[in-house]
Amino acid sequence: MDSAQKVVKPKDSKFKMRYVVLALVFVNIVINYMDRTNVSIAMPELAKELNLTTVEQGLIFSAFGWIYAAMQVPGGLLLDKFGSRIMYFISLFGWSLMTLFQSSITGFAQLLGLRLGVGFFESPVMPANNRAISYWFPENERGTAIGIYSSAQFLGLAFSMPILYAIHNSIGWRGLFIVTGVIGIAWAFVWYIVYSDPQKNKWVSQQELDYIKAGGAIFEEELPDEQPKAKVTKENLKKLFTKKLIGIYLGQFAISGTFWFFLTWFPSYLTEEKGMSLTSTGFLSSVPYLAAFVGVILAGYLSDHLTKKGFSKSMARKIPVITGLLLTLFIMGANYTNNPYLIIGFMSIAFFGNGLATITWVFVTLLAPNQLLGLAGGIFNLCGALSSIVIPIVIGFLVAGGNFSYALVFVAIIALIGACSYIFVVGNLEKEA
C-alpha cells in the first residue's frame, strides 16, 4: 500500500484551500470547453450565412487543434518555467479575447484564424490543470480530484448547452460569442487573484500544507536543483517515450477522439442527420454530457476506493479506462434507429464510457518523472490534441454525402484501438528507469 494512504488527515477540518483550488480549476474547465463548443452550436446558422461546405466546417472545427497540438510541448516548457498562476491567466484572457473577436467575423478565413488563436492560447490549459492538482493534492486524493475537475467539461457543457442554445436563439451566433468571451475575460482576473502554489499561498494552513506534502504532493524544493526541470534533451526524450508512456499517449488520442466528435459534429448530427429542431437539440444534447459526467465521477471515486482497499495501481487505475473505451462502441447503435430517445440513449452510453475513461491524467503523474511533469503533460495532451485535428476533418469528408453512419463507425474503431493500447502496451503502472 502506498505511503500516501497512511498519512493522517489534519485535525482542523474548517477550511481546506486545496478544495478552493479544485473549484477554481473546475470553473476554468467549464469556461474552456464552453469556448471550444460554442462554434459547434453556432455552426448550423453560421454555415448558412457564410455558405460553408461540410469540408470547410470540418476545417473550422479542427483549426483549434492545429496550433493547440503544435504548442503542447512549448506550452509544457513555459508551464514548468513560469508556473500555473501566470500561464493560466495569460491563457484564459487570450482565448476569451479570441472568442469575443469571433462575433465580428465576415468570412471563412477570419473564423479560421480566430479558431487558431483560441487553440494557441488554450494550449497550456490541461497540463496546467494537472500541475495545479499535483501540487495541491496528496496522491491518495488525486484520482478523485482529477475525476472532479475532468467532470467539469461534461457537467459544465450539460448545463450550459441549453443556456448557450437559448443565447444563440435570442441574440444570434454573434451574441453567443460576445457573452462567452466576456465571461472568460472576467474570470481570468479571479484566477490570478486567488491562485498560487501551496508554498506561496497565504490562505493555506500549516496543517494542510504538511498533510499534502506528506501525502505525496509535488513541492518545488524537492526537485533536484542540479537537474534542469524541463529541457528537450536526448536523455529527457528517452524518459518521456518509454513503452508505458507511449501506451497512454495512444490511449489519449483514442479517448479524445470520441470527445471531439461530441464537441464538434454532434449538434449538426442531431439537426441535419436526424432532423431534430434547434430547441430540442439544446436539451437532448445535454443528456450525453450528463452521462459522461456520471462516468468520470464514478471513475475517480472507484479508482481511489480500489487503491485504498489495497488493489494494485494497475487494476485500480486501468479498469475504468478500458471499460469506458469499450462502452464507447455503443455509439454505432445510433446507426440503426431514427427514434430520438434511442439515439440519445446510445450516445449517452458511449459518452458515459468516454467519461469513465477520462481519468487518464493520473497516469502522467504516475509514470512521468516529477521534474518533467509539465513537459510530459504537454506531450500527453498533444496526442489528445491531434485527435482534435484528425477527427473533425475525417468526419467532414465522411459526411460530405450527407450520411453520418461511417463517421460513427470511425469513432468506434478509434476507441477500440485505445482499449487495446491500455491492455497490451501500458502494462503495469510503475515508473520506468
Side-chain angles (χ1 to χ4, degrees):
M1 187 172 292
D2 295 344
S3 60
Q5 298 172 29
K6 300 177 182 178
V7 177
V8 179
K9 289 189 177 182
K11 292 182 181 180
D12 61 322
S13 58
K14 298 177 183 178
F15 177 77
K16 300 293 185 293
M17 187 61 201
R18 66 187 184 278
Y19 299 150
V20 175
V21 169
L22 181 58
L24 288 172
V25 171
F26 188 96
V27 176
N28 288 350
I29 297 176
V30 170
I31 295 173
N32 181 282
Y33 280 91
M34 182 175 66
D35 288 337
R36 293 189 193 192
T37 197
N38 52 16
V39 72
S40 68
I41 294 171
M43 186 57 77
E45 294 299 319
L46 187 156
K48 290 177 184 177
E49 185 172 325
L50 301 183
N51 296 315
L52 302 180
T53 67
T54 59
V55 173
E56 287 174 327
Q57 291 175 53
L59 289 172
I60 292 295
F61 285 144
S62 71
F64 166 92
W66 302 351
I67 197 164
Y68 181 81
M71 286 299 297
Q72 284 306 300
V73 173
L77 288 167
L78 290 170
L79 180 61
D80 283 329
K81 183 175 179 63
F82 295 107
S84 297
R85 185 189 187 208
I86 293 175
M87 287 303 298
Y88 224 134
F89 172 77
I90 294 171
S91 176
L92 185 47
F93 185 89
W95 93 61
S96 299
L97 195 62
M98 294 296 103
T99 298
L100 183 61
F101 288 161
Q102 286 175 76
S103 65
S104 62
I105 60 110
T106 57
F108 170 78
Q110 291 175 325
L111 182 56
L112 187 71
L114 289 171
R115 292 304 295 175
L116 288 169
V118 173
F120 175 83
F121 283 106
E122 286 199 11
S123 58
V125 165
M126 296 310 290
N129 293 332
N130 192 54
R131 183 185 184 277
I133 296 303
S134 297
Y135 275 56
W136 273 97
F137 279 81
E139 188 174 333
N140 69 320
E141 295 181 5
R142 204 171 294 156
T144 298
I146 290 174
I148 289 172
Y149 87 64
S150 296
S151 73
Q153 58 194 316
F154 304 113
L155 184 64
L157 288 173
F159 285 99
S160 66
M161 275 289 191
I163 297 172
L164 295 177
Y165 271 102
I167 293 171
H168 173 274
N169 293 340
S170 7
I171 57 177
W173 61 267
R174 295 185 188 276
L176 176 64
F177 287 129
I178 292 172
V179 171
T180 51
V182 169
I183 289 172
I185 289 172
W187 184 257
F189 290 95
V190 175
W191 168 266
Y192 187 80
I193 292 168
V194 178
Y195 181 84
S196 60
D197 287 344
Q199 305 95 312
K200 302 174 185 177
N201 192 278
K202 61 183 178 182
W203 292 296
V204 66
S205 68
Q206 187 60 48
Q207 292 93 333
E208 184 177 14
L209 201 61
D210 293 340
Y211 169 66
I212 64 177
K213 182 176 181 180
I218 296 172
F219 274 51
E220 286 288 351
E221 66 265 19
E222 294 178 352
L223 301 178
D225 293 333
E226 69 277 7
Q227 184 175 357
K229 286 195 290 181
K231 287 188 178 180
V232 183
T233 64
K234 183 178 179 180
E235 186 62 29
N236 281 345
L237 287 175
K238 286 175 64 177
K239 294 177 182 178
L240 294 173
F241 284 94
T242 62
K243 178 185 175 183
K244 297 177 190 298
L245 285 170
I246 289 172
I248 68 170
Y249 297 158
L250 291 172
Q252 187 65 4
F253 178 90
I255 292 166
S256 298
T258 301
F259 183 74
W260 278 99
F261 163 75
F262 280 93
L263 207 64
T264 57
W265 282 104
F266 184 50
S268 296
Y269 167 76
L270 293 180
T271 56
E272 296 175 14
E273 171 79 1
K274 298 302 182 181
M276 299 182 190
S277 67
L278 281 173
T279 302
S280 63
T281 297
F283 289 97
L284 288 176
S285 64
S286 68
V287 177
Y289 286 101
L290 286 172
F293 165 73
V294 173
V296 77
I297 289 294
L298 179 62
Y301 171 78
L302 178 63
S303 182
D304 278 352
H305 179 73
L306 292 175
T307 300
K308 292 174 183 177
K309 289 293 184 180
F311 284 78
S312 69
K313 287 181 181 178
S314 291
M315 291 289 290
R317 304 304 192 192
K318 285 172 61 179
I319 285 177
V321 175
I322 295 169
T323 303
L325 283 163
L326 294 176
L327 284 174
T328 303
L329 303 184
F330 276 87
I331 197 171
M332 292 187 294
N335 283 337
Y336 302 99
T337 180
N338 287 316
N339 184 306
Y341 298 105
L342 287 177
I343 292 166
I344 294 301
F346 284 121
M347 291 291 173
S348 297
I349 294 172
F351 217 17
F352 169 81
N354 191 249
L356 201 62
T358 308
I359 196 175
T360 47
W361 272 99
V362 74
F363 299 130
V364 178
T365 304
L366 288 173
L367 297 175
N370 287 347
Q371 72 274 15
L372 298 173
L373 197 60
L375 187 53
I379 296 171
F380 180 76
N381 209 39
L382 165 63
C383 296
L386 289 175
S387 69
S388 73
I389 301 172
V390 174
I391 301 300
I393 291 178
V394 171
I395 291 178
F397 281 98
L398 290 175
V399 304
N403 191 314
F404 273 81
S405 297
Y406 290 117
L408 300 190
V409 173
F410 171 66
V411 172
I413 290 173
I414 296 296
L416 183 60
I417 291 172
C420 291
S421 180
Y422 271 98
I423 294 170
F424 300 111
V425 181
V426 175
N428 195 34
L429 292 175
E430 299 294 339
K431 290 183 190 282
E432 294 176 322

